[in-house]
């Protein structure tokens, strides 16, 4: 939970935060675990969360570290790069019994590799993973903020893993020379005993391996403003379909359309409804 600093100004962001906002917009109840500083940026961020209708009950406030900031370079609209400041408040999320209870009761627990870059939040995350019913690992590898050992550990704990095609290639290179995406996804699912592996491929859509079968969904052509938050919106939409027991191919198509819709807006968390996504899909089908 942080600020993305863009040439046009700052926008609330952070992958799990974006996923939470989009899940909420799609009608699912969400709680957010994070930490902000006791500063103006932290106050603005919690106010933004509250304004979106989300609870801030589990957003800690610390006096020793500032609220997180990321400097985003959007020169390439299809491939945003980030400079992630450290250490910041979200590196020091403290374990509390209330967090354990929250995670144990949740249907899904979403986390990423960035939360594990520093010992403080990493230790809290590892403890909470032991109590989660269904663990969703949004890989989100941002160099130099991850190690092979940590990513491997998180893969071992996960039930569903979502990554982009660059991350798939990098992770597979650690284990095997396999470069075929379909074979690689099946290999990962079997190696880490995963219920599902999802790989996003930018404008080319996405792939989902689950129940011993590969599903494909094409990209939805749109006029791109920026791609910040598109992958997070994609994941939120996929989880909505997964939770509803939707047919995997249909859930994947809806997720691709949701990610595309967010790319037509500036910033990671534009307001939209499920109807907006359905209309985009309907327009594509014509």
């Amino acid at each position: 939970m942080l600020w993305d600093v863009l040439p046009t100004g700052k926008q609330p962001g952070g992958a799990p935060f974006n996923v939470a906002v989009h899940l909420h917009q799609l009608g699912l109840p969400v709680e957010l675990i994070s930490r902000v500083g006791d500063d103006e940026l932290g106050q603005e961020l919690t106010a933004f969360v509250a304004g979106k209708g989300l609870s801030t009950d589990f957003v800690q406030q610390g006096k020793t570290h500032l609220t997180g900031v990321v400097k985003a370079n959007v020169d390439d609209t299809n491939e945003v790069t980030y400079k992630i400041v450290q250490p910041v408040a979200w590196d020091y999320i403290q374990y509390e019994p209330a967090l354990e209870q929250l995670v144990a009761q949740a249907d899904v627990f979403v986390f990423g590799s960035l939360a594990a870059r520093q010992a403080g939040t990493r230790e809290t995350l590892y403890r909470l993973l032991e109590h989660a019913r269904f663990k969703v690992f949004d890989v989100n590898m941002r160099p130099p903020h991850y190690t092979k050992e940590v990513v491997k550990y998180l893969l071992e704990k996960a039930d569903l893993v979502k990554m982009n095609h660059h991350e798939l290639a990098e992770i597979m290179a650690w284990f095997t020379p396999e470069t075929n995406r379909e074979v690689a996804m099946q290999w990962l699912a079997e190696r880490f005993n995963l219920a599902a592996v999802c790989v996003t491929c930018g404008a080319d859509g996405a792939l989902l391996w689950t129940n011993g079968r590969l599903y494909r969904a094409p990209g939805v052509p749109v006029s791109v403003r920026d791609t910040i938050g598109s992958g997070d919106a994609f994941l939120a939409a996929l989880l909505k379909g997964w939770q509803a027991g939707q047919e995997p191919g249909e859930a994947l198509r809806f997720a691709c359309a949701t990610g595309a819709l967010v790319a037509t807006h500036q910033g990671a968390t534009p307001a939209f409804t499920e109807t907006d996504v359905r209309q985009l899909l309907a327009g594509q089908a014509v």
Side-chain angles (χ1 to χ4, degrees), residues 3 11 18 27 35 42 45 84 87 112 126 139 173 182 187 200-201 213 224 226 233 261 284:
W3 288 101
Q11 297 268 359
N18 296 339
R35 189 176 181 91
L45 205 46
I84 306 170
Y126 284 9
V139 176
E182 298 174 30
W187 186 93
T200 58
C201 307
R213 183 179 164 190
V224 175
D226 70 52
L261 181 65
Q284 185 196 23

Side-chain angles (χ1 to χ4, degrees), residues 22-96:
H22 292 309
L23 281 167
H24 177 73
Q25 292 192 144
L26 290 168
L28 278 77
V30 177
E31 289 286 357
L32 183 66
I33 298 172
S34 193
R35 189 176 181 91
V36 297
D38 182 16
D39 51 30
E40 192 174 326
L41 286 178
Q43 291 164 9
E44 284 185 55
L45 205 46
T46 50
F48 179 86
V49 174
K52 283 284 189 180
L54 281 123
S55 161
T56 58
D57 290 351
F58 300 95
V59 177
Q60 301 171 359
Q61 187 182 80
K63 295 186 181 296
T64 52
H65 292 88
L66 299 174
T67 299
V69 172
V70 170
K71 293 166 185 173
N73 184 336
V74 293
D75 290 344
D76 181 348
T77 55
N78 293 309
E79 204 68 54
V80 182
T81 56
Y82 302 90
K83 182 181 178 184
I84 306 170
V85 177
Q86 71 170 344
V88 291
W90 59 257
D91 286 310
Y92 298 92
I93 299 172
Q94 295 178 3
Y95 175 84
E96 297 171 351

Side-chain angles (χ1 to χ4, degrees), residues 50 56 61 107 176 180 197 210 219 259 281:
T56 58
Q61 187 182 80
D107 294 322
T176 165
N180 179 285
V197 177
T210 187
L281 269 175

Side-chain angles (χ1 to χ4, degrees), residues 85-119:
V85 177
Q86 71 170 344
V88 291
W90 59 257
D91 286 310
Y92 298 92
I93 299 172
Q94 295 178 3
Y95 175 84
E96 297 171 351
L99 297 185
E100 180 182 313
Q101 187 177 4
L102 176 70
V103 169
Q105 292 172 348
D107 294 322
V108 176
F109 180 48
V110 181
F111 60 96
S113 62
L114 264 175
R117 70 175 181 176
Q118 297 258 13

